Amino acid sequence: MHSRFMNGIIMSLLAALFFAGCGKPAGSPPTGSSGIARNLKIGISVPAADHGWTAGVIWWAKEAMKLYPDVEWTLATAENPDKQIKDLETMMTQGLDAIVVLATESAPITPVAEEIKKRGILLVNVDRGFTKPVADLFIEGDNKAFGRKSAEFIVNKLNGKGKIVILEGIPSTVNTDRVEAAMEVFKRHPGIEILDRQTGMWNRQKALDVMQTILLKHPKIDAVWAADDDMALGAEQAIKEAGREKEMWILGGAGMKDIVKRVMESDPLYPADITYPPSMIAVGVHEAVSILRDGNREKILQFMPKHILIDVELITPENAKDYYFPDSVF
């Protein structure tokens, strides 16, 4: 997956250079219609690495930054929306050309995103969307497909009849799209009984706590729709501590290497997984540079799509080897 995305980044860079029609090397300063030759200043604001997937996001952001040593980078990580709002307000005072944002939560970050846009700073939004379409470019995984494919797998594996519980993530467009798409599938199958639906905040410890409560309330559970691999691991710990690991199985998501390996080895607790690569932040970083570096921002935005959707895939024992990367940080 890493090499695949890196190849994609490199190919996109070559395409951007082709469209610019100049073939300048990567280290050249912007000298477009503005006629001003200077290095770009770009900020990146992402959630703190309190979760395996966000740790992967930070790692990939840094990898993308290395591709452009001529850019003056500012990278900030935030544990919560209040910290991220302060980070973004600080960035707006630093004369940045662009800011790439992966929101801690969608709603509280939207007003500051609107302010960034008003100030004319190129705004690239990755993964968790704002509640208004204010970004110049929005890059995300196909979360509706994530919800639909994972729910269809659960329905099929249970032959349309079983008791399940749902763990939701952080309030955001990502969680809303996944849950609503999954619920549409479950509602079409009356044999699927949803016993409980609580948020694990995409956090292993929170999922552990929530699952412990759920296990006490429900004496029979067939499957857990965890929608995230960190939450799946938290749920697994609760299930094993309760001695109920032979009763149910778990479907997480995001393609964590440890989970993919267990799918590949046909671990009965993890019959499948869903891809959702954290390297999408690198795509956002690359696109910010590509749009700005030749000074043709407005011309490039005329033909750039405003929304880039990255497909997701169901990982099963049959194809897991194609998604297993032991050297990955996630």
Side-chain angles (χ1 to χ4, degrees), residues 127-142:
D127 184 41
R128 298 173 200 168
F130 307 128
T131 55
K132 298 178 182 178
V134 296
D136 293 291
L137 176 60
F138 178 35
I139 301 165
E140 64 171 341
D142 190 342

Side-chain angles (χ1 to χ4, degrees), residues 19 72 107 239:
F19 280 118
E72 184 178 330
I239 293 166

Side-chain angles (χ1 to χ4, degrees), residues 168-193:
E168 295 196 28
I170 292 173
S172 62
T173 57
V174 172
N175 181 65
T176 300
D177 286 350
R178 289 182 185 181
V179 174
E180 288 185 352
M183 292 302 294
E184 286 181 9
V185 174
F186 293 139
K187 287 176 181 176
R188 293 199 298 268
H189 298 275
I192 299 296
E193 182 182 358

